[in-house]
């Protein structure tokens, strides 16, 4: 994940949040789960910072959006306890996989602070901005 | 969160616990989740100390009472795994948001040691004492 | 450690800090290192919260003031690495042992936020107030 | 710490790093040590990410640049073991306090990845850009 790509996606996420009239924090990590860029909009509940990091890491480390991850990594879901690995993963939406044009995972983005549907929508806009 | 406000709320919580004939520990944190005041009444089970801190932090960091937080941060609740962020949050009652007269979150209070209903009632009396 | 004793010492510590014109946070723990009371004066650097807890715990868990503990628990001091046990102990002044009239350790007090000499002085006044 | 201020400082830090021909990561946190913005330039050693966060937190939580903090928080420095509080603080340069025009601490910036002198120089340029 190049800084230029991450910066471009981050700007797209922020613009979409402003368009929706919500405040969020956004973390973009590389394929190994290490942060590349992060920002927190004014007024976001502070607990969301850790959440957006964990969403991004979940997507990067398991090659799955966090919403899909949450379908299996939950009580009764077939991989219960998976969410407790790797320092804590996220079992609901807002973390999205980032792939290059060849389909290779190059990172993850996590959005937190708004309703889960909005967090996901913001992440989708950011990922789409890469191509 | 000023110390004078926190001290006033703490005294109100303690008085209410004594009126109810229960023993509790009470933590009041600022908007960033840092402790301002704490007390433990004689005879409280020691495990409740960490619980009351986490309740207070949950309310402050997510701008939600811990009872409401627990409605979503639980298996099947829509945000399962959220309770495992930020060093561990609390998914049951006894943590309450503290707001100033303008509605801005200035901290959280956590009460633990009695039945959950009593913990909540004590927290409410403390929060009401601020205004 | 009774809450009434801890509250009395805490008030003495706060009064002494005000007399000296400094701001501090103060933690009082029982003989097992569990918090009994805590307060943070307005304006204390937030990093001092963890420091005062660790000072109080150091005194309670090793039956030594943290200044004396620091003489041995340091590089070249004869017990180097001891400061890294128990979740992190404190190797400088401001943590004091609290004993009952029979000399039995009943807890510890930690003061942080001012110069180390003042932190120690405030702790001494608090301990003296118990008798 | 407003996002607009943090974004402005972050851009200044990045520009200075490019001018010096070095790569770094930069974290800016609020007065409570919570991240506001972060970026990692391409090619920075991954271990530096945690370092820059800890530098920024050290400055914010103790109201001291990390270089000054390291003068006391070290073996023989008078506050040895202080560096092991608050989840790990940093005892060398590259973390700088951010104050508003009235001198109040509003956050901290941490720079890591280049030589310590360059990390510090980059941080200074960023802080100067705020005024």
């Amino acid at each position: 994940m190049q800084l230029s790509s991450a910066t471009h996606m981050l700007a797209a996420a922020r613009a979409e949040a402003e368009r929706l009239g919500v405040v969020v924090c956004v973390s973009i990590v590389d394929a190994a789960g290490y942060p590349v860029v992060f920002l927190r909009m004014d007024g976001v509940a502070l607990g969301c910072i850790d959440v957006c990091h964990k969403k991004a890491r979940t997507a990067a480390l398991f090659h799955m959006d966090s919403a899909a991850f949450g379908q299996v990594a939950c009580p009764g879901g077939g991989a219960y306890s998976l969410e407790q690995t790797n320092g804590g993963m996220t079992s609901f939406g807002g973390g999205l996989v980032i792939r290059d044009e060849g389909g290779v995972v190059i990172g993850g983005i996590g959005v937190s602070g708004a309703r889960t549907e909005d967090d996901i929508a913001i992440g989708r806009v950011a990922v789409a901005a890469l191509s």
Side-chain angles (χ1 to χ4, degrees), chain A:
Chain A
M1 173 80 67
Q2 300 284 304
L3 174 57
S4 57
S5 302
T7 300
H8 185 65
M9 284 187 283
L10 193 70
R14 183 177 176 181
E16 180 65 7
E18 289 170 347
R19 196 185 69 79
L20 293 172
V22 298
V23 292
V24 295
C25 47
V26 182
S27 173
I28 297 178
V29 304
D30 65 20
Y34 286 97
V36 182
V37 293
F38 166 82
L39 73 74
R40 167 163 54 107
M41 293 172 73
D42 299 333
V44 176
L46 293 173
C48 298
I49 299 170
D50 187 42
V51 177
C52 82
H53 281 311
K54 286 190 159 80
K55 286 179 175 178
R57 278 173 50 83
T58 300
L61 296 185
F62 285 101
H63 299 189
M64 297 172 71
D65 290 353
S66 63
F69 180 86
Q71 297 293 313
V72 295
C74 65
Y80 169 60
S81 78
L82 192 62
E83 69 276 24
Q84 293 162 24
T85 63
N86 294 282
M89 298 280 97
T90 303
S91 288
F92 60 100
L96 289 86
V97 180
I98 304 171
R99 296 177 188 273
D100 66 15
E101 57 269 36
V104 177
V105 175
I106 58 169
I109 181 170
V111 181
S112 180
R115 295 178 309 154
T116 300
E117 311 87 274
D118 287 341
D119 289 343
I120 294 171
I122 291 165
R124 282 189 181 143
V125 167
V127 169
L130 184 60
S131 48

